[in-house]
Amino acid sequence: MTSDPSKSAAPTVGATDVLVGSFTPELPKASVLVIDDEPGMRNFLSKALVGHCATLDVATNTEEAANLLDANSYDIVLLDNVMPKQNGVEWLADQRRIGLFSDVILMTAFADLDTAIAAIRAGASDFLLKPFRVNQLLNAIARSLARAQLLRQNAVLRHEVEAGKDLLHNSDALLGSSNAIKSVRAAIAKAATTSSHVVIRGEVGSGKQIAARMLHSNSSRAENPFVWLQCKGMNEDTLQTRLFGRIESNSDDHWQEQDGMLRDAAGGILYLEDVEMLSPGCQNLLVELLTTGRFRPIGAKRSVAIDVQIVSSSTQSLQQAVNDNRFRADLFYMLNVIEITLPPLRERGEDIVELIRYFSESLSARLGLSQPALPPVTRRRMLAYRWPGNVMELRNTVERALINGGYDPRLGKTAATGEIESLAAVEQRHILETLDACGGNRAEAARRLGVARKTIDRKCQAWGL
């Protein structure tokens, strides 16, 4: 076996090596595995890295390193090339095939082209030519971490594009002064202080995904990704591929890795929309994932620990789905640690005018269109309308009005759906319909309803009229 000349003169860490703050990068705390059979090099690397790592493990040979990889996940692996039994490039190729998901920096004393090509084909992300100094080591790690972060950001953006939705990535979409929406904001703020799994329940268009993003942006995971998965129509094979990823080998025995959403969302939030629509097989996969806390990409022989907070959304009661034997009870208890219920828009009467104003201003600025007038009769009808599509329907109504230059006069003329309304919603709709019938004359509306004029005034003020 070829000898490595750097082993005969392993570097030592002195004051000039460690105290290099003027040109040493500030590193995020990463988990690092060092693999080297030379004690002097291991000592050098350990001393150089100890203050820069969240965790630092050291292996003296490839067998020991493989065992550590079976038990732990690492951001960076520092791999010596010349070692007994099997060189680093060969070992790396074998490990990539069975599941090595870290960035690997190869340490070598030979900068020949053949070694470089073999290392790249095996999956090395960078090289360090021996002997090297501490700042060179830290800069190589910084490059690898930055590249990994960029790849994750690109993956998250790809998921956003696949979602195909015009999402509002800010908490303003949950604006309003009603007690109902204030309670929701308080519940989100409380849930954001934990890493417990959350279920957000609400009707279509009520803002479940916006609430999930608000939770993410206010949590300690805000600097890490928010990854979205639509569960409706998902079969078991597709879910496993999307969540776990896969490792494949082509005809030349070169491995190809496709990251799954769990790795893309590492440290952040995985949002499962319409979780009640998962098939029994998909539910089984989630139960195993949450029970073991690990997953194995398709084609891999090594599992990976997960570090994600799962936020699920549902348009119906998961407890009822359990009672109907459509949803696994154990999965329900795992996901439903915290439950947040979004009120329908028809029960947030005092928020409707505020939302109209917000959407009108933001959409007119984006589309370059003037804001249409909102006559009193239109405002009353919008307040009396039941909004089956909730905030999403209201937003689309405002956008359509901007494009058409005014609101549809037929708005609010739809027939009742037969759904049970709250007493406050029924009262609001009845008063506003009476006002509409009286042409906005509050005194006449009060006479017909058999209440005092002040009662009508007070109600209208609360609703933003």
Side-chain angles (χ1 to χ4, degrees):
M1 180 173 291
T2 306
S3 63
D4 188 340
S6 68
K7 294 185 183 295
S8 60
T12 58
V13 180
T16 57
D17 289 302
V18 177
L19 301 178
V20 288
S22 60
F23 55 94
T24 298
E26 284 293 329
L27 296 179
K29 294 294 185 180
S31 54
V32 177
L33 172 62
V34 171
I35 310 170
D36 200 297
D37 63 315
E38 173 59 38
M41 179 58 75
R42 293 198 303 272
N43 180 63
F44 163 70
L45 293 170
S46 296
K47 289 184 177 180
L49 294 173
V50 67
H52 298 278
C53 300
T55 58
L56 175 62
D57 290 332
V58 179
T60 61
N61 54 61
T62 53
E63 293 86 352
E64 185 180 341
N67 291 332
L68 286 169
L69 288 169
D70 288 340
N72 307 294
S73 297
Y74 299 95
D75 299 306
I76 302 291
V77 173
L78 293 169
L79 174 64
D80 184 30
N81 189 36
V82 178
M83 288 187 292
K85 298 183 180 180
Q86 188 180 32
N87 68 38
V89 171
E90 294 170 347
W91 180 82
L92 173 58
D94 289 343
Q95 294 300 308
R96 287 294 194 197
R97 278 190 288 270
I98 67 173
L100 171 57
F101 309 103
S102 313
D103 268 21
V104 176
I105 300 173
L106 189 71
M107 302 178 293
T108 178
F110 303 99
D112 60 283
L113 184 60
D114 289 341
T115 300
I117 293 174
I120 291 173
R121 289 163 68 97
S125 60
D126 208 344
F127 300 87
L128 277 172
L129 185 61
K130 297 178 180 179
F132 51 82
R133 297 174 68 85
V134 171
N135 66 303
Q136 294 173 303
L137 169 67
L138 297 181
N139 274 294
I141 294 175
R143 286 194 301 271
S144 289
L145 292 174
R147 180 170 50 249
Q149 179 67 14
L150 181 60
L151 290 173
R152 289 181 66 196
Q153 290 173 348
N154 288 341
V156 172
L157 289 174
R158 185 178 67 251
H159 296 316
E160 294 287 355
V161 172
E162 290 174 357
K165 293 190 176 182
D166 182 16
L167 300 171
L168 300 173
H169 295 183
N170 54 65
S171 60
D172 289 341
L174 288 181
L175 57 78
S177 56
S178 66
N179 290 332
I181 204 64
K182 286 179 181 178
S183 297
V184 169
R185 288 199 293 262
I188 290 173
K190 187 173 183 179
T193 63
T194 78
S195 288
S196 299
H197 302 318
V198 179
V199 170
I200 301 175
R201 178 184 167 192
E203 295 181 1
V204 172
S206 57
K208 297 183 293 296
Q209 186 168 159
I210 300 302
R213 290 181 180 276
M214 184 176 176
L215 189 156
H216 172 251
S217 64
N218 286 279
S219 73
S220 60
R221 296 174 177 266
E223 298 301 317
N224 294 313
F226 178 98
V227 177
W228 172 91
L229 175 66
Q230 170 58 255
C231 298
K232 186 177 182 179
M234 190 74 61
N235 60 46
E236 188 174 349
D237 291 339
T238 304
L239 181 71
Q240 192 169 14
T241 301
R242 295 291 299 275
L243 283 184
F244 299 170
R246 65 168 64 242
I247 295 176
E248 296 177 319
S249 295
N250 59 25
S251 57
D252 298 326
D253 199 30
H254 297 153
W255 63 273
Q256 233 179 357
E257 184 179 336
Q258 175 188 336
D259 284 347
M261 287 184 167
L262 286 171
R263 290 189 61 204
D264 292 339
I269 284 180
L270 175 65
Y271 175 65
L272 303 178
E273 186 167 358
D274 296 327
V275 71
E276 77 278 12
M277 303 297 291
L278 284 175
S279 67
C282 292
Q283 293 179 37
N284 295 340
L285 284 175
L286 277 183
V287 168
E288 182 179 358
L289 174 71
L290 294 172
T291 300
T292 63
R294 303 183 70 87
F295 70 95
R296 188 171 66 188
I298 299 171
K301 296 181 181 179
R302 178 179 288 127
S303 64
V304 183
I306 60 170
D307 174 24
V308 295
Q309 182 179 13
I310 296 180
V311 178
S312 309
S313 75
S314 174
T315 57
Q316 56 187 261
S317 167
L318 287 185
Q319 181 64 69
Q320 186 59 50
V322 171
N323 296 341
D324 295 340
N325 295 319
R326 293 182 289 108
F327 202 81
R328 286 187 56 159
D330 51 355
L331 180 57
F332 167 70
Y333 293 123
M334 290 174 184
L335 294 176
N336 200 65
V337 180
I338 300 173
E339 182 173 2
I340 298 173
T341 301
L342 295 181
L345 186 57
R346 60 182 173 273
E347 295 183 1
R348 297 172 52 193
E350 55 265 54
D351 296 338
I352 292 176
V353 173
E354 187 175 351
L355 286 166
I356 293 171
R357 185 182 305 114
Y358 169 74
F359 286 133
S360 184
E361 292 174 356
S362 60
L363 290 172
S364 64
R366 197 188 75 178
L367 299 175
L369 298 171
S370 58
Q371 298 180 41
L374 185 62
V377 63
T378 302
R379 185 180 302 185
R380 288 196 302 271
R381 288 178 179 177
M382 293 182 81
L383 285 168
Y385 184 53
R386 300 185 72 252
W387 298 108
N390 293 288
V391 179
M392 184 186 298
E393 183 183 4
L394 175 61
R395 181 190 181 282
N396 292 345
T397 298
V398 173
E399 184 172 2
R400 190 160 49 249
L402 286 168
I403 295 171
N404 295 333
Y407 289 93
D408 187 344
R410 297 170 298 175
L411 180 68
K413 298 290 188 180
T414 57
T417 63
E419 296 179 6
I420 297 176
E421 299 179 85
S422 68
L423 183 59
V426 171
E427 179 190 55
Q428 175 182 317
R429 183 164 55 84
H430 185 53
I431 291 175
L432 291 171
E433 286 175 350
T434 303
L435 272 170
D436 191 27
C438 297
N441 187 318
R442 296 185 181 183
E444 177 60 19
R447 188 190 66 78
R448 293 188 186 185
L449 292 169
V451 297
R453 163 66 187 266
K454 290 183 178 180
T455 300
I456 302 297
D457 289 340
R458 186 175 67 253
K459 295 288 185 182
C460 288
Q461 183 179 8
W463 299 329
L465 293 177

